[in-house]
Amino acid sequence: MKPRELIRPYNWKDRKILLRDGVLYVPDYYTAHQGFSLPLWSLPEVFEKEAPVSIEYCSGNGEWIVEKALEFPNKNWVGVEKRFDRVRKIYSRRHNEGADNLFIGYGEAVTMTRHYFPEATVDEVYVNFPDPWPKGRHAKHRLITDTFASEVHRVLKPGGTITLVTDDLAYKEIIVGVFLAHPGFASLHPHPYYIDHIENYGTSYFDSLWRGLGCKIHFVQFQGVVDENCCQGDPFPIPAFGA
């Protein structure tokens, strides 16, 4: 199928929360979230079987997450993307490549996570190349904030991990600062709290683009700690990718 075959199932005036064809639609500027409650991962319309859940935010065109869903069919994957043109491409890839263990969330990441992702049910979170919004006046648009970190901590299981990938050095420092400051996370790497390679991590449009331009890629990894009173105690053992 082609991306254009996915049609947004409502107009702006009649927008609503909707679960259809493996996509959760959470419209912008919609506030009636209390009227739509889901035990999301256990619904048969979401996943065919129970399995560990991994979320990717900023899924873009879906190249990375579709590859991972096919590579690890023993996991359930969730791709979150706020641009509908990109959601269409993820949807098309999922259908054409048979990634039946991939669920798509269309909407703003924090809103969707806060209202629809159940607490302590997620094993892994990935954020691949979030927009750094480098100008100060645009900082409010950045995904990586204290609020986002708190929502990720809420949905992660104890010991669950978050991996954040960026080519932007300044944004890497912001990302590290946000998660170091959160009492529920411990860095998986010593200072300077990032590495420049993860074996078999996979690729995406932006990964190929920035590497092709000679940019250095930074991998920041944190793990949820059981004792929130301990900010930077001994971290859990670093898991192998895909384990």
Side-chain angles (χ1 to χ4, degrees), residues 65-80:
I65 197 167
V66 170
E67 174 189 326
K68 291 304 164 189
L70 295 172
E71 185 178 358
F72 299 103
N74 58 326
K75 296 182 179 184
N76 287 330
W77 294 84
V78 182
V80 178

Side-chain angles (χ1 to χ4, degrees), residues 33-208:
H33 302 290
Q34 68 277 6
F36 194 93
S37 179
L38 291 175
L40 196 59
W41 313 139
S42 61
L43 291 177
E45 303 98 312
V46 176
F47 293 120
E48 295 181 353
K49 61 182 180 181
E50 184 177 347
V53 175
S54 298
I55 299 175
E56 183 200 18
Y57 293 95
C58 306
S59 290
N61 296 337
E63 182 178 1
W64 186 88
I65 197 167
V66 170
E67 174 189 326
K68 291 304 164 189
L70 295 172
E71 185 178 358
F72 299 103
N74 58 326
K75 296 182 179 184
N76 287 330
W77 294 84
V78 182
V80 178
E81 176 55 53
K82 68 178 183 178
R83 282 180 46 174
F84 190 64
D85 59 327
R86 293 176 176 172
V87 167
R88 283 175 148 182
K89 293 177 181 178
I90 301 169
Y91 184 89
S92 176
R93 283 181 184 271
R94 182 184 69 180
H95 176 84
N96 293 336
E97 300 186 37
D100 297 331
N101 56 331
L102 171 58
F103 181 72
I104 303 168
Y106 165 48
E108 194 276 323
V110 171
T111 301
M112 182 174 298
T113 304
R114 174 180 293 151
H115 294 288
Y116 300 102
F117 292 177
E119 183 175 349
T121 57
V122 176
D123 294 82
E124 303 167 325
V125 169
Y126 299 92
V127 187
N128 290 315
F129 298 96
D131 192 332
W133 291 98
K135 295 183 179 180
R137 67 178 182 272
H138 296 151
K140 64 182 179 180
H141 298 298
R142 293 174 187 152
L143 172 61
I144 310 305
T145 62
D146 297 342
T147 300
F148 176 73
S150 293
E151 287 303 322
V152 169
H153 184 264
R154 183 186 65 80
V155 301
L156 275 178
K157 296 178 181 178
T161 59
I162 179 168
T163 299
L164 306 103
V165 186
T166 182
D167 64 291
D168 190 284
L169 183 60
Y171 201 25
K172 183 265 294 181
E173 294 295 333
I174 292 172
I175 290 169
V176 167
V178 166
F179 282 90
L180 281 178
H182 194 290
F185 287 102
S187 177
L188 288 178
H189 307 290
H191 187 271
Y193 308 115
Y194 74 92
I195 55 178
D196 57 15
H197 178 72
I198 296 179
E199 192 70 25
N200 299 320
Y201 186 78
T203 189
S204 64
Y205 170 79
F206 285 110
D207 180 77
S208 299

Side-chain angles (χ1 to χ4, degrees), residues 5-24:
E5 294 180 41
L6 179 66
I7 307 299
R8 189 185 282 108
Y10 49 75
N11 58 39
W12 177 253
K13 181 180 178 181
D14 298 324
R15 66 192 186 279
K16 57 186 176 181
I17 305 299
L18 189 64
L19 176 61
R20 177 179 294 180
D21 298 328
V23 181
L24 176 63

